[in-house]
Amino acid sequence: DPIPALGMIQEHSRRILDRFKLPFMVGGEHLVSLGLAKAVYERFPNMHIIQFDAHADLRDDYLGVKYSHACVMRRCHDFLGDNRIHQFCIRSGERSEFEFASQHTKMHKFNFNGIEEMAKALAISGTPVYLTVDLDCLDSAVLPGTGTPEAGGVSFNDLLRAILILKDNKVNIVAADVNELSPMLDQSGASTALTCKLMREMLLALSTLRG
């Protein structure tokens, strides 16, 4: 039952936000984002989510379960509403997920096309943003150490450039996470090393944004 774990994440995230700090979470299954997103929404009800991911994560349920990594953005949409989830690199999903996205989210398939325009619009409005990075947005040849790898993804440099675009446009990022690393699936250690470098670059970018 993931509900108690999500509640613990939400409560701990509240304490971080109460201290006017920026929560930065490391997962695990992508469902962990739901706990943090709910805490951020309590503080910033006009928040948007930027999602970097191979998968849409918009199923209403997965094998009969509504709280799953395959459903996390659908559960976020339940409280956020339409056009407040910006999805990039998506290249896998059921037909129903893409149909849902066409009406309710802002999906950019396969890569980061459109990210600069989105970043400028969010920055101008000052909208609070939660950035969630599912590592399987990267090509599986770049990062094989993840639970549901998908060929045809972006490179590390593509991902880093996207993060720097958010920084350079001064997007108001109020929370972030990196998730879906599974070190045991990459015995070389390369996936873990890449993730550590990505986290370092993200933290540097976020510290610049927060002065």
Side-chain angles (χ1 to χ4, degrees):
D1 183 1
I3 302 300
L6 288 170
M8 292 170 64
I9 294 169
Q10 185 174 353
E11 177 57 34
H12 188 68
S13 300
R14 283 194 195 107
R15 293 200 293 269
I16 296 171
L17 290 162
D18 286 344
R19 294 177 172 88
F20 302 100
K21 297 183 181 294
L22 186 151
F24 188 102
M25 182 170 60
V26 183
E29 189 190 83
H30 203 168
L31 183 61
V32 298
S33 300
L34 182 59
L36 176 52
K38 284 185 173 180
V40 176
Y41 179 72
E42 291 172 350
R43 177 62 57 87
F44 303 103
N46 61 329
M47 68 175 271
H48 283 220
I49 292 177
I50 297 175
Q51 173 196 6
F52 298 163
D53 202 325
H55 307 92
D57 292 349
L58 290 172
R59 301 188 194 197
D60 192 41
D61 71 85
Y62 180 61
L63 301 177
V65 177
K66 286 184 174 288
Y67 291 92
S68 159
H69 63 93
C71 310
V72 61
M73 288 300 123
R74 185 65 171 265
R75 298 287 76 82
C76 288
H77 176 270
D78 288 345
F79 56 87
L80 285 179
D82 288 352
N83 298 317
R84 291 168 67 179
I85 300 174
H86 307 264
Q87 302 178 286
F88 291 88
C89 307
I90 309 299
R91 56 191 186 275
S92 178
E94 293 184 333
R95 182 191 300 271
S96 61
E97 293 180 86
F98 291 111
E99 290 173 346
F100 184 88
S102 69
Q103 299 180 50
H104 302 290
T105 76
K106 296 185 177 181
M107 181 183 285
H108 305 257
K109 297 175 184 175
F110 305 114
N111 52 41
F112 292 109
N113 287 350
I115 193 169
E116 185 127 28
E117 295 81 358
M118 178 214 64
K120 288 178 180 177
L122 290 174
I124 289 170
S125 65
T127 302
V129 170
Y130 177 8
L131 173 62
T132 178
V133 179
D134 186 324
L135 291 162
D136 63 31
C137 70
L138 292 159
D139 192 88
S140 53
V142 176
L143 189 135
T146 187
T148 48
E150 290 285 346
V154 299
S155 71
F156 175 80
N157 285 335
D158 291 333
L159 177 53
L160 182 56
R161 275 193 295 270
I163 290 165
L164 293 178
I165 285 171
L166 301 180
K167 175 185 80 80
D168 292 344
N169 282 280
K170 296 181 170 54
V171 173
N172 182 23
I173 297 174
V174 297
D177 71 54
V178 174
N179 61 77
E180 291 287 350
L181 176 68
S182 184
M184 64 184 178
L185 297 179
D186 181 4
Q187 296 298 317
S188 74
S191 296
T192 300
L194 183 153
T195 303
C196 289
K197 184 168 184 178
L198 174 65
M199 289 169 53
R200 181 188 70 182
E201 297 300 321
M202 287 179 67
L203 289 167
L204 288 169
L206 291 168
S207 66
T208 301
L209 283 169
R210 293 174 71 84

